[in-house]
Amino acid sequence: MILIDTPLWPKHGTVWAHLVSDHSIDELQAFAERAGLPRRGFDLDHYDVPVERYDELVAAGAEPVSPRELVRRLAASGLRVTPRERRARSAP
């Protein structure tokens, strides 16, 4: 299932949501490609998507959930990259 949380995260003059899969990264990548999301929006376990794309992604099949629910389901799937892992992967 593709999930999208409530756009709450301000940055770069807009508000952002997170798009994830609770099944596989391949499922997430395929959905993002069909939706025309730029690859640069992918951040290890999710896509950052601007509020302007939210309704379009929900119409394309993403299930709206709260940020807490998104994190819970991503963690339960085993796909979540923790903040510690994220820092380790970005370290030189």
Side-chain angles (χ1 to χ4, degrees), residues 43-44 81-92:
D43 187 14
L44 302 176
V81 176
T82 66
R84 172 183 250 168
E85 293 168 328
R86 191 173 305 283
R87 285 189 302 275
R89 290 185 188 189
S90 66

Side-chain angles (χ1 to χ4, degrees), residues 31-89:
F31 183 91
E33 186 175 325
R34 285 191 308 275
L37 295 177
R39 184 80 171 165
R40 70 180 177 274
F42 182 66
D43 187 14
L44 302 176
D45 61 359
H46 70 276
Y47 274 84
D48 293 315
V49 294
V51 66
E52 296 83 8
R53 302 285 310 265
Y54 182 84
D55 290 338
E56 169 194 343
L57 295 169
V58 170
E63 178 184 338
V65 295
S66 70
R68 181 170 285 169
E69 178 70 6
L70 183 133
V71 170
R72 187 190 70 74
R73 289 176 60 180
L74 185 60
S77 74
L79 298 172
R80 181 165 189 245
V81 176
T82 66
R84 172 183 250 168
E85 293 168 328
R86 191 173 305 283
R87 285 189 302 275
R89 290 185 188 189

Side-chain angles (χ1 to χ4, degrees), residues 11-29:
K11 196 160 192 162
H12 305 296
T14 191
V15 182
W16 298 81
H18 301 105
L19 186 75
V20 306
S21 168
D22 66 357
H23 177 70
S24 73
I25 296 298
D26 289 340
E27 178 186 44
L28 176 60
Q29 297 290 7

